[in-house]
Amino acid sequence: MSRVPARRRVPLRLLASAAASCAALTVTAATAVAPRAAAEDSRPYTETYRPQFHFSPAKNWMNDPNGLVWFQGEYHLFYQYNPSGNTWGDMSWGHAVSKDLVHWQELPLALPHDDEEMVFSGSAVVDRDNTTGFGTRENPAMVAVYTSHSKDGGKQAQSLAYSTDRGRTWTKYSGNPVLDIGSKEFRDPKVQWYAPTRSWLMTVSLSTEHKVRFYSSKDLKSWTHLSDFGPQNAVGGVWECPDLFPLPVDGDPRRVKWVLVVNINPGGIAGGSGAQYFVGDFDGKRFTPDDDGSYTPPPGMVVQDFEGADYGTWQATGTAFGDGPVPAPAPGTSGTSGVEGRGFVDSFHSGDVETGTLTSPPFTVDSPYLNFKVAGGRHPHVPGSVIGESPTPPGQVLADFEQDTYGSWTPTGTAFGDGPASGTLPGQNPVTGQDGAGLVNSFLDGDATTGTLASPEFTLDTKYLNFLIGGGRHPSGSDAPTAVRLVVDGKTVRSATGSDSEELNWASWDVGDLAGRTAHIEVVDQNTGGWGHILLDQVMLSDTPARPRSTETAVNLLIDGEVVRSETGTDSGSLDWASFDLRAHQGKRAVVQIVDMNRGGWGHILADHFVAADQPAVPSVRRASWVDHGKDYYAAVSWENAPDGRRRMIGWMNNWQYGNGIPTSPWRSAQSIPREMALRTVDGRLRLTQQPVSTVESLYGGVPIEVRDVNIAEGSAPLAEGRADGKALDIRATFSPGDAERFGFTVRTGEGQQTVIGYDAKAQELYVDRTRSGAVDFHDDFPGIQRAPLTARNGKVELRILVDWSSVEVFGGDGETVITDQIFPGPDSDGIRLFAEGGPARLDSAEVWQVRSYRD
């Protein structure tokens, strides 16, 4: 991805009103805080979460891999890099080289940003025939083809730079850009030599149109448009970083298919960033997928299709939904697609500032599934939230900030001024949701100011500490937080942050376990970037938790007034199928309620075509093929020009949902292990398979721990009596499921921490559960369980697991299923255990290698 991830994308039809709707309702995160990673060990490359056999830069921010090419005995890895700091910004190309794809040498910055442009993602080629004239046939130039992102207006175009000294120094081409279509969403060119036409082939993304465009050139300077592909399959976010390459089918060089990888954000299979792929044919001009992407949902009885002039028996409240359905737009005239018929529900009636509900009449549940289409904002239903105003709970007010000064609260720095603000400050979007006129507001002189505000000490003598909070979403453990902290004995024991919103909402800390302790509150603003401020009001002790106001844009199923099923959009105008599983609610009375309680970016909901059916509808995100089913594999691209002709791929091991906030310092982000790709027939269809490059074995230390024929009783037990424990491991294992419902390993265990790598025998799914993997509270989207289909073969489940200091990569079967997840356990959590649930299983064999750092 080559743009600021925190910027909330709006549909094309909303751009004109974006400025009027950039304040969103607050969703707070109020959790205990993990200790800062850098405090454990600040020596270079030994920091608590520093990857040992995955590439990470010595310091600063990194994202997409770029310019992957082999030349004169070296694999080159360029990457999106911020030379100025540890979050996204000042995009440039960093550079590293390797002779074996596991031992990496970081080199000086290759392509720096300048006053006119940032250097976004792209690729590199070796111009052996000197088609550009940048080198000679004897000393061919290495040519980078990258996206120039104009700092004046944001236009994106394709440009060149070249090197004649093996990539050590670079010159930007004086004739840049070489391909400019006047777009702000035209990026990430992948260029390769296409031998049949003796020309260069460019695969590049039209990001918001969900298209990949192909161009041809004889000299890398003049480009001819060949064709477009898309939209198809997953379109819940922008398309980025495409890659096109051929692979033999089942190893047969006489049967070749082409694979088109298209990275998408958001809208990945695990949420946020992901890499989907298509298999098909390429004729030199056009890519034709084997699967045309068409889908027919299960038949059923239409309950509501919104084809009438009004909502009929459905009741609207508020103003968001208007008097009736809206007409389907003509194709290509707006950011909306996927409407069934002529009308649909759209709560973007007067912009995102409107709120309301649309509720069906009560009905008796008598079908297994209710299928429907949904799109719009990604603002999920929060259990316990209140639609409308949430009452202030009773209790003791510690601070209401209604005075001219902070009283006994002590400010430092310049962010908080001498006293509370009276609402909105100059240059700020409207602040709402406070109780009374005054509040803490660190948007003093804009986001450039920093400082703290500390309360006097007080005794925690109630079960809850409630407060209203808004502002930026920069967690307490990050380098530049905007947060509220509860401090006991000098340690932060709770923290909360806004969610990039100017509307305050209730948050609540359960402090029952701290009863009788002396504490104080710190309001911290150390951030000078976007949303670099914090809002606070109405701090109070109470025996009743505050209930947050709903900020959802969701379709809910309610039974007895309680939400039992909920679906939301994906920050997209593309309506896609969703399904409520009703089997547990047969015979009960229910209603469907479409809810828009959000006034911020993407603060609206779209819905259409409710159908009672015997089978669930399958959304496009699940119909798509995915390179990786984990949360942390994005911008996946492959190396060109490898001497053995094999195709190897690498991905950015992070996710734009939380990428800027992961708790690492002085660097942020790593790349995945490079993987060898193949195209194989699995369960009757072609699947992209992958395995770690074999050279990872050069990092093995000592001798392996080998275990065979172990009966796993229901429960958990150490593997090899703890002899296999470690923080960096390569594990190869074969299981027999037996009667177990679930079984597998827990890794990086200790002090209440574990990452579960398991197999669900009934669902036939591989899964990784990182909800207790260590530091998980820096972002709401981080903890969770990732799942992927995996069929046992001949009654066996085979796993290959790479464990590093801050990641797991799990390869199932022959590599047809992969899950990549970051984890942030404590340095003492190094155990590995076996487990079985619902019955016994059997570990047929396991081999565990300790893996050394590539820097050793």
Side-chain angles (χ1 to χ4, degrees), residues 166 278 301 374 416 467 581 731:
R166 298 167 49 242
F278 305 85
M301 182 182 69
V374 64
F416 296 94
F467 49 94
D581 187 341
I731 306 166

Side-chain angles (χ1 to χ4, degrees), residues 419-583:
S422 296
T424 306
L425 293 173
Q428 188 175 24
N429 289 308
V431 172
T432 59
Q434 68 268 38
D435 191 332
L439 77 158
V440 174
N441 184 348
S442 70
F443 193 81
L444 192 65
D445 297 325
D447 283 332
T449 54
T450 61
T452 62
L453 179 65
S455 78
E457 289 190 334
F458 58 92
T459 300
L460 293 167
D461 56 6
T462 59
K463 187 169 177 55
Y464 297 98
L465 181 61
N466 302 323
F467 49 94
L468 289 163
I469 189 171
R473 187 174 190 167
H474 306 286
S476 178
S478 64
D479 293 340
T482 54
V484 177
R485 298 168 174 167
L486 181 68
V487 181
V488 175
D489 294 335
K491 295 182 180 180
T492 299
V493 295
R494 303 286 190 275
S495 76
T497 184
S499 71
D500 297 346
S501 164
E502 305 291 22
E503 184 156 357
L504 290 86
N505 203 350
W506 283 109
S508 184
W509 288 327
D510 186 336
V511 293
D513 61 318
L514 301 172
R517 304 287 293 275
T518 299
H520 74 273
I521 292 171
E522 291 179 353
V523 190
V524 181
D525 176 358
Q526 296 297 328
N527 198 294
T528 59
W531 285 107
H533 58 279
I534 186 75
L535 311 174
L536 178 70
D537 196 15
Q538 203 67 14
V539 182
M540 59 186 304
L541 291 166
S542 177
D543 288 321
T544 303
R547 297 180 65 185
R549 291 186 298 272
S550 168
T551 62
E552 66 200 277
T553 54
V555 180
N556 297 328
L557 179 72
L558 285 75
I559 293 179
D560 296 329
E562 297 294 325
V563 175
V564 297
R565 295 285 188 272
S566 183
E567 291 285 346
T568 188
T570 59
D571 292 350
S572 168
S574 301
L575 285 135
D576 199 3
W577 285 105
S579 185
F580 287 152
D581 187 341
L582 306 179
R583 290 175 295 178

Side-chain angles (χ1 to χ4, degrees), residues 615-809:
Q615 297 294 327
V618 182
S620 61
V621 70
R622 287 176 48 205
R623 302 196 305 269
S625 297
W626 296 94
V627 181
D628 195 297
H629 285 73
K631 290 283 282 191
D632 296 305
Y633 191 77
Y634 188 62
V637 288
S638 63
W639 270 274
E640 293 296 326
N641 204 41
D644 56 8
R646 296 183 179 181
R647 183 63 54 169
R648 298 177 179 91
M649 178 171 280
I650 195 170
W652 178 51
M653 202 155 56
N654 209 338
N655 191 309
W656 283 116
Q657 286 183 330
Y658 44 73
N660 278 280
I662 61 173
T664 63
S665 180
W667 85 103
R668 188 167 274 123
S669 292
Q671 304 292 352
S672 74
I673 202 72
R675 303 169 182 181
E676 186 163 324
M677 315 302 289
L679 201 56
R680 303 188 186 280
T681 304
V682 179
D683 297 332
R685 68 184 186 94
L686 289 182
R687 299 273 294 275
L688 191 63
T689 65
Q690 49 201 308
Q691 291 289 350
V693 291
S694 61
T695 47
V696 72
E697 297 173 8
S698 68
L699 301 177
Y700 287 172
V703 296
I705 299 298
E706 296 182 321
V707 179
R708 299 190 182 279
D709 300 326
V710 176
N711 292 318
I712 312 170
E714 188 170 5
S716 174
L719 177 66
E721 298 180 345
R723 292 179 294 115
D725 293 355
K727 298 195 296 182
L729 306 170
D730 188 346
I731 306 166
R732 307 180 195 220
T734 301
F735 290 89
S736 295
D739 295 328
E741 296 176 2
R742 289 169 297 277
F743 58 87
F745 294 106
T746 56
V747 300
R748 299 300 308 270
T749 65
E751 295 293 328
Q753 298 178 351
Q754 64 176 17
T755 298
V756 183
I757 300 169
Y759 184 75
D760 186 321
K762 182 177 180 181
Q764 297 187 74
E765 289 181 333
L766 179 68
Y767 66 93
V768 173
D769 180 347
R770 65 178 182 185
T771 54
R772 293 188 292 154
S773 58
V776 300
D777 58 357
F778 55 87
H779 198 283
D780 293 345
D781 287 318
F782 186 83
I785 303 173
Q786 284 70 61
R787 298 179 177 273
L790 179 66
T791 303
R793 288 189 177 79
N794 301 317
K796 308 291 184 182
V797 175
E798 295 187 1
L799 302 179
R800 170 90 179 269
I801 305 168
L802 299 184
V803 180
D804 206 342
W805 284 15
S806 56
S807 65
V808 292
E809 292 170 282

Side-chain angles (χ1 to χ4, degrees), residues 8 26 46 49 171 191 196 241 371 456 473 523 534 541 555 568 596 751 761 809 815 831 842 850:
R8 195 178 295 281
T26 302
T46 62
Y49 303 134
T171 301
V191 175
C241 301
N371 300 329
R473 187 174 190 167
V523 190
I534 186 75
L541 291 166
V555 180
T568 188
D596 174 3
E751 295 293 328
E809 292 170 282
R842 183 177 181 83
Q850 301 287 331

Side-chain angles (χ1 to χ4, degrees), residues 26-226:
T26 302
V27 180
T28 59
T31 54
V33 176
R36 291 289 300 276
E40 299 290 347
D41 193 338
S42 59
R43 291 174 297 161
Y45 305 115
T46 62
E47 302 93 346
T48 298
Y49 303 134
R50 172 70 74 170
Q52 297 300 291
F53 60 96
H54 294 79
F55 175 76
S56 61
K59 64 179 182 178
N60 294 350
W61 168 268
M62 173 181 69
N63 55 287
D64 305 357
N66 298 154
L68 306 183
V69 67
W70 183 89
F71 185 48
Q72 294 186 0
E74 293 179 321
Y75 289 93
H76 290 263
L77 168 63
F78 300 92
Y79 46 88
Q80 291 285 279
Y81 184 69
N82 181 0
S84 308
N86 203 15
T87 54
W88 187 97
D90 289 342
M91 282 293 96
S92 307
W93 275 25
H95 190 193
V97 294
S98 174
K99 295 184 181 299
D100 62 0
L101 291 172
V102 293
H103 292 85
W104 292 99
Q105 177 189 1
E106 187 174 353
L107 296 179
L109 192 67
L111 299 179
H113 73 102
D114 56 33
D115 292 340
E116 296 181 355
E117 69 175 14
M118 285 196 284
V119 182
F120 277 9
S121 290
S123 53
V125 297
V126 177
D127 188 13
R128 298 194 180 280
D129 293 336
N130 197 30
T131 62
T132 58
F134 293 154
T136 66
R137 289 181 181 272
E138 293 74 26
N139 183 31
M142 185 185 297
V143 182
V145 188
Y146 67 91
T147 296
S148 295
H149 175 83
S150 171
K151 292 184 176 180
D152 182 12
K155 187 174 70 171
Q156 297 177 0
Q158 315 318 318
S159 294
L160 306 179
Y162 60 92
S163 171
T164 56
D165 60 358
R166 298 167 49 242
R168 268 55 180 182
T169 61
W170 290 84
T171 301
K172 291 183 179 179
Y173 175 47
S174 61
N176 283 340
V178 296
L179 181 56
D180 183 357
I181 63 172
S183 172
K184 294 183 179 181
E185 304 288 350
F186 178 50
R187 56 181 174 266
D188 310 336
K190 175 62 185 290
V191 175
Q192 60 192 288
W193 181 252
Y194 187 69
T197 59
R198 293 197 56 77
S199 59
W200 298 103
L201 172 67
M202 178 192 291
T203 307
V204 65
S205 177
L206 300 173
S207 295
T208 57
E209 297 178 44
H210 306 117
K211 290 182 179 180
V212 169
R213 178 164 286 180
F214 302 103
Y215 289 91
S216 180
S217 175
K218 293 296 185 182
D219 61 3
L220 294 175
K221 300 174 183 177
S222 299
W223 292 91
T224 301
H225 176 216
L226 299 175

Side-chain angles (χ1 to χ4, degrees), residues 586-606:
Q586 294 296 299
K588 297 181 180 179
R589 297 287 284 175
V591 298
V592 172
Q593 188 172 70
I594 306 172
V595 182
D596 174 3
M597 298 306 298
N598 198 292
R599 297 185 178 93
W602 282 108
H604 58 280
I605 186 77
L606 289 69

